[in-house]
């Protein structure tokens, strides 16, 4: 239990620093990574991209107007804003993040860009503070890998999904067992 709390605390501190800096890396590298993941200039110009994703969960989400979308670990909201645009002002795109710093940054962009169908809520993704059967789609971009109890996350995803809802996750997959030295290094969980 101690390891989990230490890992979670380390991940939180790592991402708080990123939120305060407002970016991960140089702008040119961040833009190149975003392009490689299927994001456009329009997506990047919104200001919500931190260069932390490892894919684009919206590519396969088949979002339809009027649907409700939940983004787990939304950060500054790039995928929430992209989903809100895809919804054409209908439905709702909701992002959850456990860090208030990320929620604050996302809300600043939301206000500045006047996204009326986007919302941000502070919540853990393994204990989502939202009602059952609410969302048509749950997406996540390179966040589930940061938690040790993935089953708990998936249980929450299926709890908040409407019957027949869809899941679109972009994340890191581990093929071989990691050496304990790497597995027990909290820095390796965050980066």
């Amino acid at each position: 239990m101690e390891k989990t709390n230490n890992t979670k605390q380390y991940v939180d501190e790592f991402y708080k620093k990123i939120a305060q800096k407002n970016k991960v890396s140089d702008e040119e590298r961040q833009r190149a990574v975003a392009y490689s993941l299927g994001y456009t200039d329009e997506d990047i110009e919104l200001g919500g991209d931190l260069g932390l994703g490892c894919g684009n969960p919206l590519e396969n989400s088949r979002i339809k107007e009027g649907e409700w979308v939940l983004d787990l670990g939304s950060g500054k909201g790039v995928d929430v804003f992209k989903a809100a645009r895809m919804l054409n002002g209908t439905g709702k795109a909701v992002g959850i993040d456990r860090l208030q710093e990320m929620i604050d940054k996302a809300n600043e962009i939301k206000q500045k860009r006047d996204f009326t169908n986007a919302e941000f809520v502070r919540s853990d993704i393994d204990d989502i503070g939202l009602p059952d059967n609410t969302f048509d789609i749950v997406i996540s971009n390179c966040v589930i890998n940061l938690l040790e109890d993935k089953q708990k996350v998936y249980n929450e995803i299926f709890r908040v999904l409407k019957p027949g809802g869809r899941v679109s996750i972009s994340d890191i997959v581990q093929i071989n067992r990691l050496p304990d030295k790497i597995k027990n290094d909290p820095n390796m969980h965050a980066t």
Side-chain angles (χ1 to χ4, degrees):
M1 191 65 133
E2 171 112 353
K3 181 182 160 222
T4 300
N5 290 336
N6 287 339
T7 299
K8 211 175 219 184
Q9 181 180 357
Y10 189 88
V11 169
D12 284 356
E13 291 305 316
F14 181 85
Y15 285 97
K16 280 180 188 178
K17 288 177 188 170
I18 290 170
Q20 291 163 350
K21 285 193 313 188
N22 225 16
K23 64 180 183 176
V24 174
S25 58
D26 66 85
E27 192 173 321
E28 185 178 322
R29 180 186 173 280
Q30 192 170 331
R31 192 172 284 272
V33 169
Y35 290 151
S36 75
L37 299 176
Y39 292 97
T40 64
D41 283 328
E42 188 179 17
D43 299 327
I44 296 165
E45 296 306 319
L46 289 172
D49 181 39
L50 285 167
L52 297 169
C54 58
N56 184 339
L58 294 166
E59 288 289 311
N60 297 313
S61 65
R62 301 182 328 265
I63 290 177
K64 298 177 202 112
E65 289 186 13
E67 291 187 315
W68 278 52
V69 180
L70 176 64
D71 181 14
L72 305 180
S74 58
K76 284 179 34 183
V78 67
D79 290 323
V80 173
F81 298 130
K82 186 173 178 76
R85 271 200 333 261
M86 293 168 77
L87 291 166
N88 282 328
T90 67
K92 184 160 281 231
V94 178
I96 63 170
D97 202 285
R98 65 179 274 107
L99 297 179
Q100 189 61 50
E101 292 83 353
M102 291 295 188
I103 298 296
D104 292 344
K105 296 284 184 182
N107 278 322
E108 286 174 23
I109 296 168
K110 173 188 165 182
Q111 296 277 107
K112 182 179 175 183
R113 305 289 183 168
D114 196 30
F115 275 98
T116 57
N117 65 333
E119 183 179 334
F120 295 92
V121 177
R122 185 174 181 194
S123 177
D124 286 314
I125 68 170
D126 59 355
D127 186 19
I128 301 170
L130 298 170
D132 297 358
N133 305 317
T134 303
F135 296 93
D136 299 288
I137 306 169
V138 175
I139 63 170
S140 185
N141 192 351
C142 217
V143 176
I144 295 172
N145 70 81
L146 299 172
L147 279 83
E148 291 187 33
D149 190 350
K150 288 154 186 53
Q151 185 62 54
K152 194 172 176 188
V153 176
Y154 289 114
N155 290 346
E156 282 292 277
I157 289 171
F158 290 107
R159 181 185 66 76
V160 299
L161 269 177
K162 291 178 182 175
R166 304 179 308 281
V167 178
S168 185
I169 297 171
S170 176
D171 218 321
I172 296 170
V173 177
Q174 175 185 328
I175 303 297
N176 297 315
R177 190 178 187 305
L178 293 173
D180 286 340
K181 181 179 178 180
I182 292 173
K183 188 176 174 184
N184 296 327
D185 182 351
N187 185 48
M188 298 304 288
H189 283 269
T191 56

